[in-house]
Amino acid sequence: MIEAERKPPRLKVALVGSPNSGKTSLFNWITGSRYKTVNYPGSTVESHKGLSLPFYGETFEVIDTPGIYSLNPSSQDEKVTLDLLLSGQLHRVILVIDASQIQRQLLIALQLKEMGVLFSVALTMSDLDPEANSAVDPKILSEELGVHVSVVDGRLGGGVKELVDSSIDRGPVFKKPFRSLSNDEDFLKKLTSQGRVIANKVVPSRTRVEKFELDRWLVHSRLSLPLFLIVMTLLFSSVYYFAAPFMDMVDWFFATSSVFVSEQLGEGMISDFLSSGMIEGMGAVLVFVPQIFVLFFGLGLLEESGYLARASTLIDRPLHFVGLSGRSFVPLLSGFACAVPAVMATRNLKSARERWIAVFVLPFMTCSARLPVYALLLGFLFFGEASWKPGLILAAIYFSSALIGGVAAWILHKILKTKERSYFLMEFPPYRRPRVAKVFKDSLYRTKSYVVKAGPTIFTFVLILWVASYFPHNTAWSESEQLANSFLGQVGSALDFLFRPMGLDWRAGVALLSAFVAREVFVSSMAVIFNLGGVAESSVQASLIEQMKNATFPDGGLIFTTPTIVAMILFFMFALQCISTTGVTIKEMGSWKYGVAQLVTLNVVAYAVAVLAYQVLS
Amino acid sequence: MKQKEESLLPLSQAPIGAASQIRRFSGDAELNQRLREIGFYEGAHVVVKSRMPFGGPLVIELDQCSLALRFLEASSIEVAAM
């Protein structure tokens, strides 16, 4: 008891270093947590915090900071690190230096020294380039900098224990910086040249290592663009190709369960709720989980390989034209998985204006929540036809959505006049062979978090919709009478005037409105509303499409025709129907006006486009 | 006098694949600072490895490292052919 009371507060240790220096790998080794290491400069946008594993002795807190080139605060990232250093909360600072890039990474070490910060150095990435690493002499580096230096193998974890032992237990106690850095160019010139002098001493015989052979093709003046298009096509077509068998399995499982439950429980409210409410509602969405996994896996492989930095460079020119830069490429690309982390990733953009535009157009990127929606609608349009047809249209939807985002960005770029200069300096990380097992585990984890996050929302809405469509209940009513007389039917009918111009009846309209909670809820709502008769086929999806084909207006006209489906697809392409995205946008941009303006603009445009499309086509 | 005669050209004009040496930075203070921070310095040897299509960024090799700069940024780095 007395022992515990005397315990000093838990040590706080910050890992500081350049982009790609191996901070996150080191963080993972110390904490055992599974944060992704992304082989892309500037992938840590937030400081991750974690606790050290018992293996390293007494528990301490580790903070992984965003990668920086310098401690002159010119971007959000650098400010995050600088603020942390100035906060006075830290007990230890570990500067992570990539041995193969030592010349350029010594600047931060010298700046820390200038500021009067006490720190120790972790020399990393020995795994990548053993020759270059052995050329760096940690003893000389330690003497030159006057700090402790430990060699760490980021991939295999060698040397981490020694680093912790030497810098955590006996390392220097952090002192609040007592000098701020001069902004003077001559001063910077002095520090960088000092860095080079030290680097030359530390690496006596620099042997040239060609690490960028692939760049001969991948950033070739002429070949790079076709190769980029091939890579992106492969990524998106694999989402369909590899996921298909697994989707069939999931679909079969839910359809069978639904039939099984209704057979076992017989007729009745509980049975009806479980089989046509819960199981089908959940199944309609979960069937797309394999696709989401494949997308995460593909993006993960690209991230790890180091190609994304090249791709960002390749795409810089067109993005620059619409007021963005290559730096926006990774946030925009992650927007294809989910807009929420993508909005957070825009923190990495140096220019506030670029960030403003990027966040505004991010919802145009086809996120994975739209995949279930498009898959259902295209499944309807091309029912029983060759699978390449919906695949091709889906590709066109992805492409034109991105293009629309580009046009929107360009419009904003023209409206928001500026004198601000935009920069693009992109460091290419060395290519790495992606660790497939690790990427697999990461994608599984991300998919799981997606399901865990979306699951309760879908569950709640399925519950609400089912209750609203089941009550008030009268056994004498037919199924359609039941729905029309239910609470849901009464609310829906009142809003009928909104949906008619798009060619939809109130039932489809309610499903569309429910998508504002999360887009994929649309599919489960459709399943609950239209599939009340239960699964008649061996597939939830086929059964739902069958019901949609037979759905009629009170006057007997078919609801779901090519014009209405096209109108709905267009609506989903333009609309911002995601409360989480708006929430995170308001938080990240620090302005609810921005979030509301974006929400209103995109949805009004979406509605107008959908109505126009329907009116023209029908 | 002799030094002045050395012909400098912006890095953006340097032929692909040819090595050159950085002589000076002619951009504004902010750009110069960024270039220095990322590792450019007077005397450094650089090679333009490729130019991205449609007037996109240039891929530059500097001290065993590859990085990309926009045309305009590369124009502010003055180099001498080696």
Side-chain angles (χ1 to χ4, degrees), chain A residues 374-442:
Chain A
Y374 292 146
L376 174 70
L377 297 176
L378 292 175
F380 177 91
L381 277 187
F382 298 95
F383 192 63
E385 292 186 51
S387 69
W388 62 266
K389 289 184 190 169
L392 198 68
I393 301 294
L394 188 82
I397 291 176
Y398 269 83
F399 185 73
S400 27
S401 295
L403 213 60
I404 293 164
V407 172
W410 182 79
I411 294 171
L412 292 171
H413 177 50
K414 291 290 149 193
I415 295 173
L416 303 166
K417 293 233 183 301
T418 180
K419 277 180 190 159
E420 189 187 285
R421 269 255 301 285
S422 103
Y423 295 99
F424 182 72
L425 303 166
M426 177 64 75
E427 184 192 11
F428 288 1
Y431 286 107
R432 285 201 304 216
R433 186 192 301 276
R435 289 162 287 182
V436 178
K438 182 182 168 297
V439 175
F440 190 85
K441 259 162 77 182
D442 285 341

Side-chain angles (χ1 to χ4, degrees), chain A residues 265-277 466 470-471 473:
Chain A
L265 295 178
E267 285 205 8
M269 193 176 85
I270 303 286
S271 161
D272 188 49
F273 171 67
L274 284 178
S275 65
S276 46
W466 185 85
Y470 197 83
F471 295 102
H473 194 69

Side-chain angles (χ1 to χ4, degrees), chain A residues 225 244 258 261 303 373 416 441 469 570:
Chain A
L225 188 61
S258 171
V261 168
E303 276 174 357
V373 177
L416 303 166
K441 259 162 77 182
S469 65
L570 284 168

Side-chain angles (χ1 to χ4, degrees), chain A residues 359-364 370 404 408 412 516 519 570-571 573-577 581-582 595-609:
Chain A
V359 171
F360 203 94
V361 302
L362 248 177
F364 285 113
R370 279 166 169 130
I404 293 164
L412 292 171
F516 276 86
R519 292 178 178 96
L570 284 168
F571 185 80
M573 282 169 73
F574 282 85
L576 171 49
Q577 300 161 285
T581 303
T582 298
V596 172
Q598 183 191 28
L599 187 72
V600 171
T601 312
L602 296 190
N603 288 319
V604 166
V605 171
Y607 183 72
V609 168

Side-chain angles (χ1 to χ4, degrees), chain B residues 10-52:
Chain B
L11 183 58
S12 51
Q13 307 285 329
I16 289 181
S20 50
Q21 194 172 30
I22 296 178
R23 284 284 185 265
R24 64 175 182 229
F25 298 98
S26 57
D28 58 40
E30 195 191 344
L31 178 57
N32 292 352
Q33 182 199 320
R34 281 169 190 265
L35 291 172
R36 285 185 194 281
E37 282 172 358
I38 204 170
F40 288 95
Y41 57 96
E42 289 92 344
H45 293 183
V46 285
V47 180
V48 176
K49 296 215 292 193
S50 73
R51 293 162 208 269
M52 295 290 102

